[in-house]
Amino acid sequence: NKNDLPEGTKVIDSTWACKKKSTGTLCGQLNARGFKQIQGEHDDPFSIAFPVTNGMTICIVLTIMLAAGWVTLVVGVKEAFLHGEFQDGKEIYMKVPQGWKKHYSHNSVLKLLRCIYGLKQTVMAFWHELLKCMKHMKMKRSMADPCLYHRWTGNGLVLMASWIDDNLLVGSEEAVAKTKN
């Protein structure tokens, strides 16, 4: 309930992004209006900056792939920004989205438990989840580029360059397939 929130708590609102699929069905995505977040109350400057691989790393990885006769595969993470959790313990409240207000009382607000599209810290939260995944997969992070990972498998070396929620996998056909799975 909005009246139960600590005094001065900023409640952000949201908007819907809709598109028509090739099948004719409509697809909707709820986006927080993150530009209304207040620095310090909703986030800190370190939770909104995130690394991405650079163009030189991509060139080097693709050069190695060509020289070694390897294959490449681009893998996108579906609904990537819905996987992240708030890192800094901040509580973010959002107004009930349009179309859902009939299911809630007049003063209701939603406390976000996970990140959603549009929040300033969503991409960084996803990156932390990606780091956990890389550690679980025993991928080692490059000291030269924080978004380049490698791992030796029974089928050889696999390289992975991460660009936010898209990943470039390079290696032997068997090693890339195993890493993708």
Side-chain angles (χ1 to χ4, degrees):
N1 190 325
K2 197 173 192 175
N3 298 331
D4 297 335
L5 296 177
E7 190 174 326
T9 300
K10 175 82 172 165
V11 179
I12 60 173
D13 56 350
S14 59
T15 187
W16 287 98
C18 297
K19 69 178 181 180
K20 195 173 192 177
K21 291 186 170 186
S22 59
T23 60
T25 59
L26 290 175
C27 179
Q29 174 180 301
L30 182 66
N31 296 300
R33 292 189 174 174
F35 59 87
K36 292 187 175 184
Q37 288 180 268
I38 298 171
Q39 188 170 326
E41 182 179 332
H42 293 122
D43 65 355
D44 62 68
F46 303 108
S47 70
I48 61 174
F50 54 91
V52 293
T53 194
N54 65 53
M56 185 57 70
T57 299
I58 298 292
C59 289
I60 292 169
V61 168
L62 291 176
T63 301
I64 292 169
M65 180 226 23
L66 290 171
W70 289 345
V71 298
T72 184
L73 179 66
V74 176
V75 179
V77 179
K78 292 183 180 193
E79 299 158 351
F81 302 140
L82 301 177
H83 296 291
E85 296 179 0
F86 299 117
Q87 298 294 315
D88 51 14
K90 303 276 186 203
E91 293 183 345
I92 297 180
Y93 295 92
M94 185 175 75
K95 294 177 183 174
V96 176
Q98 183 180 4
W100 290 87
K101 293 181 181 184
K102 63 184 176 187
H103 302 289
Y104 293 88
S105 65
H106 175 66
N107 276 342
S108 291
V109 293
L110 304 176
K111 178 181 176 184
L112 299 179
L113 301 177
R114 297 181 70 84
C115 291
I116 65 170
Y117 286 87
L119 295 175
K120 290 181 180 180
Q121 62 269 55
T122 297
V123 177
M124 188 61 164
F126 167 71
W127 192 68
H128 284 288
E129 292 300 315
L130 181 67
L131 288 177
K132 289 180 199 173
C133 182
M134 294 298 106
K135 187 175 181 178
H136 177 74
M137 292 173 58
K138 297 182 175 45
M139 299 283 281
K140 296 194 186 312
R141 190 161 43 149
S142 166
M143 292 183 348
D145 186 328
C147 295
L148 177 65
Y149 307 89
H150 66 279
R151 182 178 73 147
W152 287 96
T153 69
N155 300 315
L157 179 66
V158 174
L159 300 174
M160 187 183 101
S162 174
W163 185 275
I164 306 176
D165 62 335
D166 292 316
N167 303 291
L168 175 68
L169 289 171
V170 172
S172 70
E173 194 169 336
E174 298 83 15
V176 166
K178 185 176 181 181
T179 302
K180 180 187 173 209
N181 289 337

